Amino acid sequence: MLSANKISELEKLRTPFYLYDMQLLEDTVSEVARLSEEYGIEVHYAVKANAEGRILDCIAGHGLGADCVSGNEVLCALEHGFPADRIAFAGVGKTDEEIRIAVGNGIFSINCESLPEIEVVDAIAGSLGKRANVSVRINPNIDAHTHKYITTGLEENKFGVSEHEFGPLMELLGRCKNINFNGLHFHVGSQILEPEEVFSLECRRTDEIVALFESGGFHVENIDLGGGLGIDYMDPDAHPIPDFRTWFRTISDNLRSFRGRRVHVEPGRSIVAQCGSLVTRVLYVKHGVSRDFMITDAGMNDLIRPALYGAYHKIENLSAAARGEKDTAAYDVVGPVCESSDVWGEGRTLPAGRRGDLLSIRSAGAYGQAMANRYNLRDLAQAYYIG
Ligand code: LLP
């Protein structure tokens, strides 16, 4: 919890802004780095979750790799000190220019998601006189029991190569002269709240697919199990650091093909979500017919998750806490954007609020600032860092 002094300092800043707790990030990344050593699982941070420079510097500084999904993310990861041999690049629609960036920089792995993409990577590598390291992203057809917009491992999703194409895939890999097949890549979904159930299923399916490739004569040197560990949006202070140990232990206990291979994961949300908040000012408290509205100066353009996924983010009134406000009331907390989905939360019981109060919208470090946009020509929120 922030001190009353800190809150009064924050009250002087232009709102809305993202506020990052760098000590919590540091503690989280240290824990991940420690467990990575202990379990022998290599970790690549999913840059898409948050690509702010100071955050990348902290993560790269602990020796983690990067998981990128665009040419610009690859370049950004390199700029912030992630070594090329720890950078993976996935995505269903890589352009020729992006493939040239990846091949030209000799990154650890281009995770190809279709047969035509493998042919293009082979041709581009040939034209550059290089060999490209290629893993194949597999669609494992597993239900991660998560939101339909963030589940990725089902047959009907656009990601990866499905089992019915394994024959032609192996034939193609055997034929490509300029690629070095170095493994298989999986990712079943995001915000997974049943890690033991979902990741053990992923491991079993991975074992089956590794066996299929090896019986086809392809050594699977690297297994990348993707990201997806969920976080506690309801009560972030109860679980500021997600349960990485359960995830890593589940992999270690269930992945039979672990031995003799390199195993990788790609967490995004679980590393950065809890260290970030979106801080916004109450512009107006308005008494509606059946409810009271608290109208903030941050909108869905600053943090799109509630509008896009119906996502829950805990809301705190920092100023009311600092003045020791005792009364509470139920509010619909809403943003200023001209869309009825621009709502932070309905019927939230909060301390009695007034114009000028600072609210903190918690667990916004992942897919918050990274997905911000300028809808309604609104300014982008700045970032501040504590610690
Ligand atoms: N690897 C791949 C191939 C991915 O597609 C993703 C996320 C990750 C790793 C990282 O997953 P994480 O550990 O963060 O769950 N904007 C959405 C989340 C989209 C996730 C997309 N893929 C949200 O705000 O919930």
Side-chain angles (χ1 to χ4, degrees):
M1 194 61 207
L2 296 169
S3 65
N5 274 349
K6 194 73 192 163
I7 292 167
S8 88
E9 263 177 54
L10 296 178
E11 277 170 345
K12 298 187 189 105
L13 299 173
R14 181 174 190 232
T15 46
F17 56 86
Y18 275 90
L19 185 66
Y20 294 104
D21 174 347
M22 296 306 278
Q23 188 58 52
L24 177 56
L25 178 66
E26 174 69 32
D27 294 347
T28 307
V29 181
S30 303
E31 163 90 347
V32 171
R34 208 169 30 245
L35 291 169
S36 162
E37 280 279 316
E38 183 180 332
Y39 285 91
I41 294 174
E42 296 175 46
V43 178
H44 302 254
Y45 165 64
V47 172
K48 67 168 85 68
N50 190 314
E52 289 308 294
R54 289 188 53 173
I55 288 179
L56 295 180
D57 291 342
C58 170
I59 297 171
H62 281 270
L64 269 55
D67 159 49
C68 301
V69 287
S70 70
N72 285 344
E73 282 193 4
V74 171
L75 293 173
C76 178
L78 288 166
E79 261 169 45
H80 286 276
F82 290 94
D85 64 3
R86 290 203 196 139
I87 297 180
F89 177 22
V92 290
K94 302 180 191 75
T95 64
D96 293 15
E97 189 186 341
E98 291 177 312
I99 293 170
R100 275 195 290 274
I101 290 172
V103 176
N105 282 289
I107 66 167
F108 158 66
S109 176
I110 303 180
N111 297 338
C112 288
E113 307 222 10
S114 66
L115 277 62
E117 184 193 339
I118 294 173
E119 295 191 62
V120 171
V121 172
D122 185 50
I124 290 178
S127 72
L128 295 174
K130 300 223 176 199
R131 271 177 86 80
N133 298 321
V134 164
S135 279
V136 178
R137 176 154 178 196
I138 302 296
N139 184 323
N141 197 22
I142 287 177
D143 190 348
H145 299 178
T146 184
H147 192 286
K148 72 176 185 324
Y149 288 176
I150 51 178
T151 186
T152 41
L154 278 171
E155 221 161 59
E156 68 252 29
N157 300 133
K158 67 183 173 182
F159 303 97
V161 179
S162 296
E163 193 165 349
H164 75 282
E165 284 201 295
F166 285 0
L169 169 65
M170 289 189 217
E171 194 267 322
L172 172 62
L173 288 171
R175 196 150 44 77
C176 290
K177 297 276 174 291
N178 310 304
I179 67 173
N180 167 36
F181 170 76
N182 74 350
L184 298 175
H185 175 217
F186 303 82
H187 172 76
V188 291
S190 199
Q191 184 55 8
I192 290 168
L193 291 172
E194 300 151 334
E196 282 162 301
E197 187 190 327
V198 175
F199 294 121
S200 63
L201 195 64
E202 183 187 28
C203 287
R204 280 199 291 282
R205 188 78 184 112
T206 300
D207 283 333
E208 287 168 14
I209 295 169
V210 168
L212 281 177
F213 273 75
E214 300 230 318
S215 67
F218 291 88
H219 174 53
V220 180
E221 190 190 337
N222 291 279
I223 298 173
D224 181 341
L225 294 168
L229 181 66
I231 65 135
D232 190 346
Y233 281 100
M234 306 303 289
D235 193 358
D237 293 324
H239 300 107
I241 300 184
D243 187 2
F244 292 100
R245 184 176 287 283
T246 295
W247 186 21
F248 287 22
R249 188 174 16 82
T250 302
I251 294 171
S252 168
D253 289 351
N254 289 279
L255 188 69
R256 279 184 290 116
S257 43
F258 199 135
R259 192 186 279 261
R261 298 185 180 80
R262 289 171 63 188
V263 175
H264 309 252
V265 291
E266 304 169 338
R269 183 192 321 267
S270 50
I271 293 188
V272 292
Q274 299 293 32
C275 75
S277 311
L278 175 63
V279 179
T280 177
R281 209 177 298 267
V282 174
L283 292 174
Y284 307 104
V285 176
K286 164 163 127 173
H287 303 293
V289 179
S290 58
R291 52 183 75 195
D292 287 346
F293 294 98
M294 211 181 252
I295 302 165
T296 65
D297 64 1
M300 61 190 279
N301 68 298
D302 299 300
L303 173 64
I304 204 170
R305 303 192 70 260
L308 190 57
Y309 313 117
Y312 179 95
H313 285 259
K314 187 173 179 195
I315 301 168
E316 286 166 358
N317 187 328
L318 302 177
S319 310
R323 70 174 170 263
E325 182 64 61
K326 295 278 178 299
D327 292 342
T328 61
Y331 297 98
D332 280 12
V333 186
V334 301
V337 170
C338 307
E339 299 270 348
S340 26
S341 58
D342 188 21
V343 174
W344 300 117
E346 288 179 17
R348 296 282 181 100
T349 301
L350 292 169
R354 31 172 116 134
R355 175 172 164 83
D357 280 357
L358 282 194
L359 306 186
S360 172
I361 302 176
R362 301 288 308 273
S363 313
Y367 308 111
Q369 209 177 351
M371 293 178 82
N373 61 74
R374 292 208 52 209
Y375 186 40
N376 288 191
L377 271 192
R378 290 165 49 77
D379 291 328
L380 288 176
Q382 286 211 46
Y384 293 97
Y385 304 85
I386 293 185

